[in-house]
Amino acid sequence: MHPDHTQSDRIPIPHLRQLWERTQTVRSSGTTASNAGSELDPILIHALGLNLLETFRYLYSSNRNFGEFEDWIFQKNNGVLTTERIQQINAALAGEAAAEDGGSRGVEPILSAAEMEHWEEHGYVVLHDAVTPGECKAAADLLCEHLHVDLANPQTWYPDDMKATIMVELVYHPALQATRESQRIRRAFGQIWGTDNLVSTNDRCGFNPPERPGFRFPGPHLHWDTSLSPPLPLGTQGILYLTDTDAEQGAFTCVTGFHRRLESWMASLPPGANPRTQDLNAEAVPIAGKAGDLVIWHIGLPHGSRPNRAQKPRLVQYINMYPPDRVDNRPWI
């Protein structure tokens, strides 16, 4: 039993100290700490405006005291965490809706009946004009500035530090926060989840230039970011196109409708076969989109990017939202 430190903590969220103590026990001893409460870690981290992978890298990288961890969180939040926001986070972690949020109010539809049918059948849907042209351009310009890329000059499209990945460690900026706060995006996720009480992830960006001698597409190839243990729950992921993206421009790619047959497909595999190493590329479909389009897909779809065989790079931002009471305790398969 850990002592109650919340009276002296500058960020009075009991689960925050539990997260720090649990990870520091593992880091210092090399042993596995109790996983009690760990299913709430993503909710806490996202609600604090942090990136999941970056936060765990920080916690496991070196010996830090709790005050330093709090300093790091404040720095990521421009020095401000209001009492109201902390109360909302504690309520979310307790499985309660924030008082003024109303919890599961009716969500004003933004996707048509046909689009929702497409979601159910194919496991993905495209929200057109998810953000304004100005917001989209600001995010694209930021990504180019971060990478020192000039879209008019192909010689700048291949930074040395991007030869092994198309993922860009760019998370915190007002231009990216503006797209995450799009009410059209919130309404779309809310319609799929059936609630307006949602937590937004704080994900990275992506830059996928055309293949050329010396640069071949490094992935990610088709994969899942979830356990394949049945039953498969509802879960979402999303990608925002920051520029017009043709099908062969390294577009988002998935095996459509696979969420509806994942369990039967798993059962049909030979004994001992690893489902994550099966070749599903023949069924994969690229999803083109315009600048400002958001593709939302079901976690049950094998998905990834693809080689860019067009004449322009692909620029994207990853955006997702989910209810704070969405906890997935399935074993990892």
Side-chain angles (χ1 to χ4, degrees):
M1 175 74 75
H2 293 301
D4 183 3
H5 300 274
T6 57
Q7 295 303 313
S8 59
D9 294 346
R10 287 173 294 152
I11 304 177
I13 301 175
H15 190 84
L16 183 64
R17 183 173 279 276
Q18 293 167 17
L19 167 64
W20 173 77
E21 291 180 340
R22 186 174 352 104
T23 55
Q24 294 310 294
T25 296
V26 174
R27 189 205 60 77
S28 61
S29 67
T31 59
T32 301
S34 169
N35 287 326
S38 61
E39 71 278 2
L40 298 176
D41 292 347
I43 299 168
L44 169 63
I45 292 168
H46 290 145
L48 283 170
L50 307 174
N51 176 263
L52 197 64
L53 180 60
E54 182 186 36
T55 300
F56 281 113
R57 282 176 177 167
Y58 176 91
L59 286 167
Y60 285 113
S61 63
S62 62
N63 185 29
R64 306 176 192 278
N65 62 48
F66 186 70
E68 291 173 315
F69 185 32
E70 289 181 307
D71 289 340
W72 184 78
I73 295 171
F74 275 114
Q75 184 265 323
K76 296 297 182 181
N77 283 272
N78 296 315
V80 178
L81 280 173
T82 65
T83 300
E84 178 185 28
R85 186 172 169 197
I86 290 172
Q87 290 173 343
Q88 290 172 345
I89 293 172
N90 279 323
L93 293 170
E96 305 165 359
E100 72 279 4
D101 183 70
S104 298
R105 293 195 308 259
V107 178
E108 183 181 359
I110 192 169
L111 299 169
S112 69
E115 288 171 325
M116 288 302 294
E117 288 178 8
H118 188 278
W119 161 261
E120 296 291 343
E121 177 73 16
H122 300 285
Y124 80 92
V125 67
V126 180
L127 175 66
H128 300 291
D129 304 313
V131 298
T132 68
E135 290 169 338
C136 193
K137 183 178 185 303
D141 288 347
L142 171 69
L143 180 53
C144 289
E145 179 183 354
H146 178 79
L147 294 173
H148 306 291
V149 160
D150 178 357
L151 292 182
N153 182 0
Q155 297 305 312
T156 69
W157 296 352
Y158 304 90
D160 289 339
D161 59 353
M162 290 206 63
K163 290 182 178 179
T165 179
I166 64 171
M167 307 301 291
V168 181
E169 301 293 336
L170 178 60
V171 177
Y172 308 100
H173 192 278
L176 302 180
Q177 192 60 30
T179 55
R180 294 185 190 114
E181 293 176 355
S182 162
Q183 288 304 302
R184 286 180 59 80
I185 292 178
R186 178 167 288 274
R187 284 171 58 192
F189 278 110
Q191 189 174 351
I192 289 171
W193 283 103
T195 177
D196 61 357
N197 183 29
L198 300 171
V199 173
S200 175
T201 61
N202 301 279
D203 289 324
R204 298 171 289 179
C205 295
F207 184 84
N208 187 4
E211 289 193 316
R212 71 170 188 178
F215 177 80
R216 289 292 178 262
F217 173 62
H221 302 278
L222 292 180
H223 66 282
W224 291 273
D225 298 303
T226 187
S227 171
L228 302 182
S229 176
L232 185 68
L234 172 61
T236 57
Q237 294 176 265
I239 189 170
L240 177 69
Y241 286 133
L242 301 180
T243 55
D244 292 349
T245 304
D246 295 332
E248 294 306 316
Q249 195 179 331
F252 168 77
T253 299
C254 63
V255 180
T256 66
F258 206 82
H259 65 306
R260 299 172 66 244
R261 60 185 177 97
L262 174 61
E263 290 186 32
S264 60
W265 175 81
M266 292 269 291
S268 72
L269 294 176
N274 184 348
R276 297 182 185 273
T277 62
Q278 305 305 305
D279 187 355
L280 296 169
N281 285 290
E283 302 181 63
V285 177
I287 310 300
K290 297 291 186 181
D293 285 352
L294 177 78
V295 183
I296 303 175
W297 72 93
H298 193 290
I299 58 171
L301 300 189
H303 64 277
S305 186
R306 64 195 292 112
N308 185 343
R309 298 195 172 106
Q311 304 301 313
K312 298 177 182 178
R314 185 198 81 166
L315 284 71
V316 300
Q317 179 185 355
Y318 297 92
I319 298 177
N320 190 25
M321 297 183 185
Y322 62 95
D325 60 357
R326 195 262 184 185
V327 175
D328 187 354
N329 288 320
R330 293 174 301 147
W332 186 263
I333 295 178

